[in-house]
Amino acid sequence: MRLQLSGKATCNSHGQGSSYFLGWQEYEKNPFDQTRNPQGIIQMGLAENQLSFDLLESWLSENQDIAGFKRNGESIFRELALFQDYHGLPEFKKALVQFMEEIRGNKVSFDPNKIVLTAGATSANETLIFCLAEAGDAILIPTPYYPGFDRDLKWRTGAEIVPIHCTSSNGFKITACALQQAYQEARNRNLKVKGVLVTNPSNPLGTTMTRAELDLLMDFIIEKQIHLVSDEIYSGTVFSSPNYTSIMEVLLKYEKAEVWDRVHVVYSLSKDLGLPGFRVGAIYSNNDSIVAAATKMSSFGLVSSQTQYFLSALLSDKKFTKNYISENKKRLKKRHALLVSGLQNAGISCLKSNAGLFSWVDMRHLLSSNTFEAEIELWEKIVYDVKLNISPGLSCHCSEPGWFRVCFANMTEETLEIAIRRIKALVESASRGRDKVISSQRSSKNNSRKKSFSKWVFRLPFHDREAGER
Amino acid sequence: MAIEIEAAPSVQLSRVADSETHGENLAYFAGWKAYDEDPYNEASNPSGVIQMGLAENQVSFDLLEECLEKHSEASTWGKGAPGFRENALFQDYHGLLTFRKAIVSFMEEIRCGGAKFDPERVVLTAGATAANELLTFILADPGDALLVPTPYYPGFDRDLRWRTGVKIVPIVCDSSNNFQITTEALEAAYELAESMNIRVRGVLITNPSNPLGVTISRSVLEDILDFATRKNIHLVSDEIYSGSVFSSSEFVSVAEVLEAREYRASERVHIVYSLSKDLGLPGFRVGTIYSYNDKVVTTARRMSSFTLISSQTQHLLACMLSDKKFAKNYIEINRTRLRKRYERIIDGLRSAGIECLKGNAGLFCWMNLSPLLEKPTRESELDLWRTMLQEVKLNISPGSSCHCSEPGWFRVCFANMSEHTLEVALERIHKYMEQRRT
């Protein structure tokens, strides 16, 4: 008799069974390198911020002692090596909340006692859902959303995600109608709605939520008596107007109201500081019970004390943080403009965006039909022929085919230019009509590959080759 | 739904958030609180509570610090920090290869080459706490059970049960045979679970044992493996204390038993390890799962996304542990120092009239105070524990918090303090025992 594993081990909720991550596999087989492999596939599916490392490196070279476990000339190696208190290093929590305040223009203040440290936002999101929901419950999430949520919020918790459908008709903004429809859908599926989870700024849209949307959300969670989680992992990447409004700012007018302890924020240093490897995430909540439960749960994913100390020094350096925040934004803005204008020249428009490490690109006009099959067909072409790995909207649960997330901050400027040139070439050949011939040729030659796609096209695929490739 | 009745107004949390299974109301943690309020300090608070409930290894930091001096690139990424950005970006859940290789080499050195490990089977997690929980999620479904020999580490109640919904059914061990695990006890535990309609998915042992401070013998390991095979269940061997065996020849890892069997039926075996005890680095959150089962490795790796080790820390330790000379030297010296501490405390206790279980590993000894109990009950044990805490001012761990079936046993840590402090503690025990006699 075969030795068995648990249901969680054998199910597909980790999402990696889907043939979607073909794009990743192809990239791995043939990765672009400016000098050694200039014909390779350019990775544009990875939301990493590689634009401001020089600022970090320069700080590092002036603060070697900190990395060397010294505080004021004294070695604190032992102290750090032994420090495993799940309340976190006080000096780090203080520095972290100050950084979060600075990002929000000091319009709100955070209490270090209400923050829980976790190994990345991946862990923070899962921990919050463990606290709020279980099997039979649902979390409402606006589409399109980060594919990783399917694993992070559902896999081990048993909770379900019900989408709040957003469309291009209004720039993918959340509407009262969409919220009510999602709530109803959950009810129809016999699920108890426990909360709404939004990402603001949005991944994959790259937009900040409007005040109107935030107020709408507050009204909704007050009416339904549910929770709101605002994942603000990209809050430091807002590079142009409109200015960023965090849910914390909106919450100011609800202080001491009932809803005040049903709103929770998730943060991380993986995107703003470009340090995904260091695994630094946080949950912020006014709810004592949640902070208490999440703190204990953080035992399963604490931040290395070595890393806490190092970053407490970095983030306490106000000169550094002020300069970093502003310089980082400038560079992101420039990159964003480069991509958007380059795509424009190729006749491709993007959703107007002001944040994030990616653009939400409209390729509907390049689809052979207004279907997800056509989207995947186009995506295949882009991966295999144009040699760019970008993320199809389907993987983000977008309700309209033809949209793609394209990252711009994880490569050099030269590489981005090359990518843009390749896209231009694709569009030019498409407009010359050759593409339609090529695509019909390919579809007859590659029926098997198409077959392997058709069954998952209607599933919910996402790629998860590495942790957190948001 | 019951949860709504007890939840705070309007804030309905999940059952998991509201439950007490995080286990923090036990004496084990209550003692910590008392210590925090009045901690011993040689100079500033010499009459404070001495913490002997914390299984930390503080005896070999000098060796680590020396290694750090020699390998400055380990912490600073070298001159000009050429490796900084690559390291900062590295979030691959396979883990840094150099680090996996270094861990493997360290684990092999601890076992004196008695077993070989493959870096491709190493899954990294933020501490053994995470590793044990992760394995439980993978091997068992909610409502199922793992069999765990008593006495066991109190943290298991949280780590194995809280969020997983899995139960622990005890394999009851007692002093009649020095708390060794027997096939009878294994069978009894399994039958108990069956009688309650609970499906047993595996056995989880800690070898060397916490809190006993004893290694499991080869023949008992064979018996446990045979039992798991017969029942077609998993075997998890938490070998977190493997580097703290006082004499290298006395530790037999389940890996060695498997190797001797040419890895027959090894796909049910999984090893947990960590650098928190052997290297004394609990703050760095370094745990691993080593599984002989491919599906478990793959699944554990994906699940480790929730609990990755900081790449900064992986880099640091890869550099340090790749220095094989350092690793070998560290293991030897660390062992010797722990053995010396152990001998000192046993001697000191004996001269106070207290006997301990004969131990050969770990950062603690398993002390027998049952002759001191008013009655052979858990209540009496807790009374004695309170006396120890409030009068003798020593925080030690009562056996009941470790689910020991016999009252009167206590776990006493000896490696988390200076030699001087240990003497002060022994002095206090001496005095107390003298007072009792008069």
Side-chain angles (χ1 to χ4, degrees), chain B residues 231-368:
Chain B
K231 303 295 189 194
N232 192 25
I233 59 179
H234 295 274
L235 172 58
V236 177
S237 179
D238 184 348
E239 304 192 347
I240 193 177
Y241 291 101
S242 47
S244 70
V245 182
F246 310 145
S247 159
S248 58
S249 56
E250 295 189 21
F251 176 58
V252 178
S253 162
V254 71
E256 295 171 62
V257 174
L258 288 176
E259 209 167 272
R261 294 182 179 200
E262 288 168 357
Y263 300 105
R264 257 176 303 116
S266 60
E267 33 113 54
R268 65 183 72 257
V269 180
H270 324 282
I271 297 175
V272 166
Y273 186 56
S274 159
L275 298 182
S276 300
K277 309 295 177 184
D278 294 345
L279 281 188
L281 306 173
F284 290 179
R285 313 316 300 147
V286 180
T288 83
I289 293 169
Y290 188 91
S291 177
Y292 295 91
N293 183 313
D294 292 347
K295 184 100 181 53
V296 172
V297 172
T298 308
T299 308
R301 198 179 274 146
R302 289 176 184 152
M303 239 187 226
S304 72
S305 302
F306 297 110
T307 184
L308 297 175
I309 301 178
S310 166
S311 55
Q312 177 189 23
T313 303
Q314 290 190 49
H315 169 76
L316 170 79
L317 295 171
C319 288
M320 289 173 69
L321 294 180
S322 298
D323 181 343
K324 302 226 165 125
K325 201 156 151 258
F326 158 74
K328 197 175 150 82
N329 192 47
Y330 178 94
I331 291 168
E332 259 175 56
I333 297 182
N334 184 50
R335 259 190 195 132
T336 309
R337 292 178 180 180
L338 289 175
R339 185 177 62 241
K340 273 210 168 105
R341 284 288 179 107
Y342 173 78
E343 282 163 1
R344 179 65 201 109
I345 196 176
I346 293 302
D347 207 51
L349 290 174
R350 185 167 288 142
S351 61
I354 296 175
E355 288 301 320
C356 297
L357 182 72
K358 187 164 190 324
N360 64 346
L363 311 175
F364 33 74
C365 58
W366 189 236
M367 182 170 74
N368 185 6

Side-chain angles (χ1 to χ4, degrees), chain A residues 385-441:
Chain A
D385 299 345
V386 187
K387 303 262 183 47
L388 302 175
N389 182 32
I390 62 179
S391 311
L394 180 61
S395 69
C396 304
H397 304 279
C398 188
S399 49
E400 304 172 21
W403 293 87
F404 291 79
R405 188 191 78 168
V406 180
C407 299
F408 55 69
N410 63 309
M411 64 198 70
T412 63
E413 215 172 282
E414 292 80 18
T415 307
L416 184 57
E417 306 269 14
I418 293 171
I420 291 170
R421 279 202 292 275
R422 290 185 186 180
I423 294 177
K424 210 153 178 221
L426 161 75
V427 169
E428 276 163 8
S429 70
S431 68
R432 282 197 295 273
R434 272 172 45 211
D435 237 53
K436 294 222 158 83
V437 175
I438 292 171
S439 97
S440 67
Q441 277 178 344

Side-chain angles (χ1 to χ4, degrees), chain A residues 256-276:
Chain A
K256 306 312 177 189
E258 213 207 348
V259 73
W260 190 68
D261 56 5
R262 289 207 310 274
V263 176
H264 325 283
V265 171
V266 165
Y267 186 55
S268 160
L269 298 180
S270 300
K271 307 299 175 182
D272 296 344
L273 280 188
L275 306 172

